[in-house]
Amino acid sequence: MKQDQLKTYREMRDFNRTTEPSGGAPKRERGKNPRFVIHKHSSKNQHYDLRLEVDGVLKSWAVPKGPSLNPRDKRLAMPTEDHPLEYAEFEGVIPPGEYGAGAVIVWDFGTYANITRKVGKILSMDEAQKDGHISFQLQGEKLRGGFALTRTSTGKDERWILVKKNDQEVDLDTDILRVEPYSALTGRTVEELTREARGGGRRRPQE
Ligand code: MN
């Protein structure tokens, strides 16, 4: 049942404590391009979360080193639980003691196109995910062009790698994560969000 797609997500969180969305039933936005979002998540181990809209939920991978514009960089991507579509706009600080405690910003967002092919035929996202190879084209605020996710191991320790495809959006000289640390939604950094949550607001000059 599709309704159960968010069961794991909900079971992992206490919505009386976290400001993350609990999410309704998976929503299908027919006729629109599917969305993608990359969160920067300053939890115990800082990482990026790549999320692709598929069948009304956000399929998710935690990418410890984040995306790269260099096709030679193979970035580990570990699948995590499906998130509700509403999560695409989520920014905030998950309180201490809660799952994923720490600041989350929308590092990039936009739409994507599935361009996965197998023997000349376009696979659906569902088929591509099962097959272990997803090719997609991003139209984001920061990231553009082709990327590929490829599964390298299955089972409990399932792992994928995220790689930039070779196209005109390749940039060997720019560390996009360093150059663009800001939220694509609000312009804030995870450090600023963390300070705000501590009650300090923006740091003021000393009196
Ligand atoms: Mn995360």
Side-chain angles (χ1 to χ4, degrees):
M1 280 272 291
K2 290 286 182 191
Q3 254 86 344
D4 287 329
Q5 264 181 300
L6 297 172
K7 190 167 177 272
T8 308
Y9 171 86
R10 293 195 183 104
E11 280 173 356
M12 291 167 97
R13 291 168 176 80
D14 178 353
F15 296 104
N16 293 317
R17 296 201 31 91
T18 182
T19 54
E20 293 166 289
S22 57
K27 288 178 193 65
R28 250 148 274 213
E29 298 185 324
R30 293 226 176 266
K32 284 193 189 167
N33 288 325
R35 301 160 74 181
F36 88 92
V37 61
I38 297 178
H39 284 107
K40 184 177 180 181
H41 187 179
S42 183
S43 62
K44 195 163 31 129
N45 299 304
Q46 182 166 285
H47 60 275
Y48 294 78
D49 290 293
L50 167 65
R51 310 188 197 281
L52 301 173
E53 177 186 352
V54 181
D55 292 336
V57 296
L58 297 172
K59 294 284 170 193
S60 300
W61 288 261
V63 184
K65 288 190 174 170
S68 169
L69 302 181
N70 184 342
R72 286 162 72 173
D73 289 336
K74 294 177 166 62
R75 297 286 159 91
L76 172 66
M78 291 171 291
T80 58
E81 74 278 12
D82 294 349
H83 280 51
L85 265 194
E86 291 89 334
Y87 211 93
E89 279 99 42
F90 174 72
E91 267 188 10
V93 177
I94 303 169
E98 299 306 303
Y99 176 70
V104 178
I105 59 166
V106 174
W107 183 77
D108 197 14
F109 68 92
T111 59
Y112 78 91
N114 168 30
I115 54 166
T116 314
R117 285 176 173 276
K118 195 176 186 184
V119 222
K121 175 181 164 264
I122 290 271
L123 297 189
S124 71
M125 281 295 282
D126 203 40
E127 290 168 332
Q129 199 182 10
K130 286 189 179 115
D131 196 50
H133 183 79
I134 308 171
S135 285
F136 53 102
Q137 200 93 30
L138 295 181
Q139 286 280 352
E141 302 292 306
K142 295 174 184 169
L143 299 185
R144 305 249 155 90
F147 285 81
L149 275 165
T150 306
R151 192 168 55 213
T152 57
S153 64
T154 53
K156 228 187 139 200
D157 201 26
E158 186 177 323
R159 282 157 185 259
W160 295 59
I161 52 166
L162 173 68
V163 178
K164 176 80 195 75
K165 286 179 163 254
N166 233 317
D167 57 24
Q168 69 278 12
E169 305 295 341
V170 163
D171 184 343
L172 304 182
D173 303 317
T174 306
D175 181 351
I176 186 83
L177 306 177
R178 209 174 253 283
V179 174
E180 299 263 12
Y182 311 102
S183 162
L185 264 191
T186 63
R188 299 179 295 181
T189 63
V190 284
E191 291 80 11
E192 280 171 350
L193 219 62
T194 305
R195 278 203 293 275
E196 283 172 35
R198 285 200 191 117
R202 294 193 181 242
R203 193 178 282 167
R204 285 172 206 178
Q206 293 223 306
E207 288 173 347

